[in-house]
Amino acid sequence: MELNALDQEFMHSGHVGCPGCGAAIAMRFFLKALGDKTIMVLPACCWSVIAGPYPQSTLKIPLIHSAFETGGAVASGVRAALDMKGDRETTVVTWAGDGGTFDIGFQALSGAVERNEDFIYVCYDNEAYMNTGIQRSSSTPYGAWTTTTPGTDWKKLRKKNIVEALVAHRIPYAATANIAFPEDLVRKAQKAKSIKGSRFIHVYASCPTGWRIPSEMSIKIARMAVQTNIFPLYEVEDGLRYTINYKPKEYLVREYFRLQGRFRHLTDKDLDQIQEMVNEDWELLLRKAGEHA
Amino acid sequence: MKRVLEGSHAVAEAVRLAKVQVISAYPITPQTHIVEILSDYCSTGKLKAKFLRVESEHSALAALIGAQSSGVRTFTATSSQGLALMHELLHWSSGARLPIVMAEVNRALGPGWNIWMDQTDSLAQRDTGWIQFYCEDSQEVLDTTLQAYRLAEEVNLPVMVVLDAFFLSHTYEPVDIPDEKDVDRFLPPFAPKFQLDTANPCSFGQLVTPAFYMEMRHDIDRAMDLALVRFGEIEEEYARIFKRRYGAVEAIQCSDADIILLTSGTVTSTCRLVLKALRDRGEKVGILKVKLFRPTPAEQIRGALKSAKKVAVVDRNCSFGAGGIFAQEVRAALCNLPGHPLVYGYIAGIGGRDVTPELLEEIYWKTKNSEVPEKESVWMGLQEVAHGTQRS
C-alpha cells in the first residue's frame, strides 16, 4: 500500500453517520485512494444524510446528490460534460447503497455499463434499506430479520449476486472489497481509477444499527464475512479473468451469524442449510477462477 | 435561408444553432424524427455534441441533470409516456435550477395506445417548475427553441418547447433558418453561475432542513415571475435581429370582439381561417392564442379579454373531473377582474381527432347562443356511442 495516499483526508471530522458505520469507513478509504480530482454522484442512500445538511458538507470533493434510481445515468451525464470540456483527468464516481444498486437503480446501472460509460460505480452494501429504517432489499441475505421481514417471515430468499450480474455485462473491471481489508480496498480503488470504461466495486459495509450488533463489532464482523467465505474478496477483468484475493477459511458461518441480532431466530438446522449455500457459492467461484478440480 | 422542413427538423436546426454540447434521449413516437436527425448531426460532426443513447426517458433526463450541473448546454426530446416517466426528474431539474431545454411532442397517454395529438401529457406537468411554450408552426418552433436557451439560462429554470404530434412534428413547411453568426450574437456560449468543479468543491442538491427549504422554493417562484419579464425582453432582442415576434399571448382582432376564441398550438391556424369567415359575415369575434403557459401571463390574458362578453376556450386536453386545463387557467386569471367575460370551456380534438373549421364554428355559435355556460367544459365532436351497463 502507498502510505502517502493514506495521509490525505478528504472527509471532514463530524459526519452524521451512526457510530461504527461501515459506509463512512468505506468512503474515507476510497477517497484516500481516488484523490481530489474526483466528482461524486450520490443517489439517495444513507450517505445522503451522512454527507450533512445544507450548508455543511462532510466531503472535500464536488458532490451531486441525485434521485434514488439515477446513479448510472447522472454519472454518464457528468462524464459526457467533462469530455466535452476536454477534462480527461477527473474521475467520476457513483457512490450508492444496495437499494439504489440492486433494486431501484439497477436499470440505469445496467444501461450505463452496457454503454461502457467511463466511471467507477461503488456500491456500499449494508444489506437492507437502512436509511429508511431497515427494510429488506434484494441484497438482504437469506435468514435475515428486517422490519419488513419480521418474525417468522424472515427472508427465505438468496441475496442477489450483483457482481456476477455486472460481470455478465463484460465490463472492464468488477471487484469486491471490504472495510476490514483496507489495503485490498485501496489497491482496488486505485486499480479501478487506472482503467477506462465502466468499473464496479461492491463494498461490504457493516451496519451496527440495522444488524443489531454493537458498534465496536463493525470491523470484526466485516472481517468474518470474508473469513467465512460469505463475502469473498475477488476481482474480474473484462468479464472473464477471475482472481480470488483471499482464501483461508477460518470460521464456520454459524459463528458469524451468532454474533448478529438480525439472525437471532435461526435454528441450528437453518444455519446448516446456510453453510451449505455458502459452500456451494464458494465452489462456483472457485470453478470460475479455474481453481477447482 | 429558407428551407422546407418538418416541425421536428425545425427543432433539430435550433439545437444545432444553439451549439448544444450534450444530448440524451430515448425514442418514442412521434419524437423520433428529432433525435434521428440530431444523431446524424452528431455522427457527421455538423453538431459537436455528445449524444447519450440511454435506456429510458428517466435516465435521459437524469443524464442531463448530471451534464448541465457540470456546466454544459443540454437538450432532450420526448413525448407522452416518456414525459410521464420523467415526472420525478422534471421536479428535480427545476429544484436544482438547471436550464435544460426539452422539445415535447404532445401525444395522448395510454391506455388504449394512441400516438396522436393530445395536450394532457405536458399540461399534467404544470406544477413541476418548467417554463412551457406551445407553438403554432415550424418557424415558431425554431425561434422559440433558440429563445428557450436564452430564457432558461437567464432565470435558471428548465424550458419545455411543446409542439403538436404530427400536425406540427411531421408537417413540412417553409422555414427561415437564421444565420449562425446572428444566432451566436443572440445566444452566447453557456456561462454557468455554479458547476461541479474539483478546483472549487461544492455540494449540489443535498439535504435541506425546514430552516432553508421554503426560501429555496420561494426563489423558484420568483424566477418564474422574472421569466415573464425576461421573455418580453428576449423577444424584443430576437425581433431586432431576426424580424420575428410572437408574444407570450397573441391577441387577434380582440379589441372590438364580443366573443374571443382562446386557442393554443396548431388549432390556432385553423381558427385564423374561421375568424376571417365569421368576420366576413359581420360577427364580432377574436382569437387569443396562448403561447406561454408557465409562467402564466395572467396580466396579458386579462388585458386581451377584458372587453369581451364571452370567451370560448378550446382545450385539446382534459383534467378528468375538472374539465379543460386552459379553461381552468383562464377562469383563474379572470376571476378577480370586475365584470369579466363568461368562460365557456370546450374539449375537442382528443387523441388526434381533427379540429375542423366546422367544429370551431360550431363552438362559436354554441357560445353565442348560450346565455350561460352549461358546464365547466363541454365535449365537442363526440360520436354517438351506445352506453349503459349490461345486466344478465
Side-chain angles (χ1 to χ4, degrees):
Chain A
M1 186 190 335
E2 293 176 41
L3 286 171
N4 59 350
L6 292 185
D7 290 342
Q8 286 186 296
E9 290 288 356
F10 297 97
M11 270 176 76
H12 296 283
S13 61
H15 71 74
V16 290
C18 304
C21 173
I25 298 166
M27 176 70 87
R28 181 166 172 241
F29 281 108
F30 258 97
L31 290 185
K32 282 171 180 290
L34 297 175
D36 62 349
K37 289 275 181 272
T38 302
I39 291 178
M40 186 167 278
V41 176
L42 196 64
C45 58
C46 284
W47 253 99
S48 309
V49 176
I50 300 170
Y54 172 88
Q56 296 152 340
S57 178
T58 301
L59 300 182
K60 300 180 188 176
I61 56 162
L63 187 61
I64 176 170
H65 292 256
S66 74
F68 212 164
E69 65 281 54
T70 62
V74 173
S76 304
V78 173
R79 183 70 262 168
L82 295 178
D83 287 350
M84 287 306 296
K85 295 198 293 188
D87 178 353
R88 294 296 317 161
E89 190 190 3
T90 301
T91 303
V92 179
V93 179
T94 295
W95 185 265
D98 49 289
T101 303
F102 288 61
D103 292 344
I104 197 168
F106 189 70
Q107 175 181 320
L109 170 59
S110 173
V113 304
E114 183 271 334
R115 299 190 300 274
N116 198 24
E117 299 284 357
D118 185 23
F119 74 121
I120 303 174
Y121 191 108
V122 180
C123 170
Y124 67 94
D125 183 3
N126 51 28
E127 303 195 320
Y129 291 87
M130 296 313 188
N131 201 30
T132 46
I134 324 168
Q135 292 83 21
R136 70 85 94 180
S137 74
S138 63
S139 172
T140 302
Y142 184 98
W145 161 90
T146 67
T147 56
T148 52
T149 52
T152 54
D153 276 341
W154 51 268
K155 191 176 171 189
K156 296 178 188 73
L157 297 163
R158 277 175 183 264
K159 177 188 176 93
K160 185 191 283 183
N161 192 329
I162 195 69
V163 175
E164 294 306 312
L166 269 294
V167 165
H169 289 74
R170 299 285 290 268
I171 57 175
Y173 186 64
T176 63
N178 185 305
I179 54 165
F181 295 81
E183 296 93 338
D184 180 75
L185 184 150
V186 166
R187 181 184 66 76
K188 284 170 177 168
Q190 286 173 336
K191 182 169 176 180
K193 188 183 170 184
S194 73
I195 294 169
K196 293 283 165 238
S198 296
R199 295 142 280 166
F200 181 81
I201 302 182
H202 180 205
V203 189
Y204 182 99
S206 34
C207 174
T209 310
W211 295 0
R212 301 298 193 240
I213 58 172
S215 54
E216 67 272 20
M217 293 286 279
S218 201
I219 300 292
K220 181 181 171 69
I221 299 229
R223 188 177 298 116
M224 286 176 76
V226 173
Q227 292 168 324
T228 50
N229 289 338
I230 285 170
F231 190 91
L233 291 177
Y234 69 104
E235 296 164 275
V236 188
E237 284 161 286
D238 299 319
L240 295 172
R241 292 186 302 281
Y242 282 68
T243 308
I244 298 172
N245 310 115
Y246 191 93
K247 270 190 286 188
K249 189 178 164 193
E250 291 147 20
Y251 291 101
L252 294 173
V253 297
R254 80 175 56 230
E255 293 167 73
Y256 170 85
F257 276 74
R258 284 296 179 219
L259 290 171
Q260 302 179 52
R262 62 175 170 156
F263 299 120
R264 188 179 296 133
H265 51 272
L266 297 177
T267 62
D268 283 345
K269 199 177 150 210
D270 295 328
L271 292 172
D272 288 343
Q273 194 190 339
I274 291 167
Q275 181 71 62
E276 275 176 39
M277 290 160 76
V278 169
N279 292 349
E280 190 182 284
D281 286 349
W282 176 249
E283 294 285 323
L284 188 60
L285 179 62
L286 285 173
R287 276 208 298 281
K288 284 177 179 167
E291 298 192 24
H292 201 262
Chain B
M1 181 186 58
K2 283 225 176 199
R3 276 179 60 201
V4 177
L5 291 183
E6 268 191 349
S8 296
H9 295 169
V11 173
E13 282 304 301
V15 170
R16 178 181 65 77
L17 288 165
K19 299 190 165 73
V20 165
Q21 293 153 290
V22 174
I23 299 168
S24 178
Y26 185 80
I28 181 168
T29 303
Q31 152 265 35
T32 40
H33 288 189
I34 300 172
V35 294
E36 284 169 8
I37 199 149
L38 284 172
S39 299
D40 186 59
Y41 286 178
C42 290
S43 82
T44 58
K46 201 170 172 185
L47 173 63
K48 286 181 181 53
K50 180 125 179 172
F51 195 122
L52 292 166
R53 290 140 185 111
V54 289
E55 83 300 330
S56 73
E57 287 90 353
H58 197 278
S59 284
L61 190 49
L64 293 195
I65 286 169
Q68 192 81 49
S69 301
S70 307
V72 299
R73 192 170 278 162
T74 67
F75 175 78
T76 190
T78 192
S79 189
S80 178
Q81 311 292 137
L83 186 68
L85 185 60
M86 283 179 178
H87 175 78
E88 179 196 26
L89 299 179
L90 295 177
H91 283 283
W92 197 283
S93 340
S94 60
R97 305 299 301 272
L98 298 173
I100 295 167
V101 172
M102 171 197 298
E104 144 62 24
V105 187
N106 267 149
R107 166 191 153 174
L109 290 152
W113 286 120
N114 178 306
I115 59 169
W116 295 278
M117 167 61 197
D118 192 306
Q119 296 174 320
T120 312
D121 58 346
S122 57
L123 291 172
Q125 307 300 340
R126 59 179 146 169
D127 300 331
T128 56
W130 281 62
I131 293 166
Q132 289 195 5
F133 289 112
Y134 289 78
C135 297
E136 184 182 350
D137 60 32
S138 296
Q139 186 70 59
E140 187 175 1
V141 164
L142 186 148
D143 296 334
T144 306
T145 305
L146 290 174
Q147 293 165 358
Y149 281 101
R150 266 289 295 273
L151 182 60
E153 291 166 15
E154 283 191 24
V155 301
N156 284 297
L157 283 177
V159 180
M160 211 179 272
V161 177
V162 185
L163 54 157
D164 295 10
F166 302 106
F167 297 125
L168 188 43
S169 64
H170 288 54
T171 301
Y172 281 86
E173 294 177 291
V175 177
D176 181 49
I177 300 170
D179 190 68
E180 194 177 316
K181 279 199 217 83
D182 291 335
V183 174
D184 288 348
R185 192 149 56 93
F186 171 75
L187 183 67
F190 176 46
K193 295 185 183 77
F194 305 97
Q195 60 182 311
L196 291 164
D197 179 6
T198 54
N200 179 26
C202 296
S203 286
F204 291 76
Q206 67 190 121
L207 182 67
V208 182
T209 63
F212 298 102
Y213 183 85
M214 194 164 162
E215 283 70 22
M216 291 179 179
R217 294 285 130 169
H218 180 229
D219 276 349
I220 297 172
D221 202 35
R222 284 199 325 175
M224 275 287 182
D225 293 345
L226 183 65
L228 210 49
V229 180
R230 286 278 186 272
F231 178 61
E233 294 164 2
I234 288 166
E235 270 222 313
E236 285 290 321
E237 193 182 328
Y238 196 86
R240 272 202 302 277
I241 304 172
F242 303 102
K243 318 292 177 217
R244 284 186 296 273
R245 182 207 308 270
Y246 303 90
V249 301
E250 181 189 353
I252 307 144
Q253 293 186 259
C254 283
S255 51
D256 69 334
D258 290 332
I259 297 177
I260 294 173
L261 294 161
L262 189 139
T263 61
S264 56
T266 58
V267 144
T268 311
S269 297
T270 318
C271 216
R272 288 177 199 268
L273 289 175
V274 173
L275 176 81
K276 188 171 183 309
L278 288 170
R279 279 274 171 180
D280 287 348
R281 280 180 268 161
E283 296 298 322
K284 291 172 91 177
V285 56
I287 298 173
L288 182 67
K289 166 187 163 182
V290 177
K291 173 197 174 107
L292 179 59
F293 174 76
R294 280 288 182 276
T296 313
E299 202 58 52
Q300 297 180 48
I301 290 172
R302 279 193 287 274
L305 299 179
K306 63 173 187 278
S307 51
K309 295 188 176 73
K310 296 174 178 177
V311 184
V313 183
V314 182
D315 268 303
R316 296 188 95 154
N317 62 79
C318 182
S319 170
F320 302 117
I325 294 171
F326 277 96
Q328 294 171 28
E329 299 277 331
V330 169
R331 280 190 206 101
L334 291 177
C335 73
N336 289 336
L337 184 73
H340 64 74
L342 291 172
V343 177
Y344 293 69
Y346 296 98
I347 291 175
I350 296 291
R353 189 164 299 179
D354 277 340
V355 180
T356 61
E358 294 73 27
L359 188 76
L360 290 168
E361 271 206 40
E362 192 185 335
I363 285 172
Y364 172 76
W365 291 114
K366 197 171 169 62
T367 306
K368 186 168 181 182
N369 297 330
S370 313
E371 226 167 281
V372 288
E374 62 183 88
K375 58 191 290 199
E376 260 59 32
S377 288
V378 177
W379 286 67
M380 297 297 290
L382 290 176
Q383 298 178 60
E384 290 294 324
V385 190
H387 285 295
T389 48
Q390 285 195 337
R391 292 184 188 189
S392 54

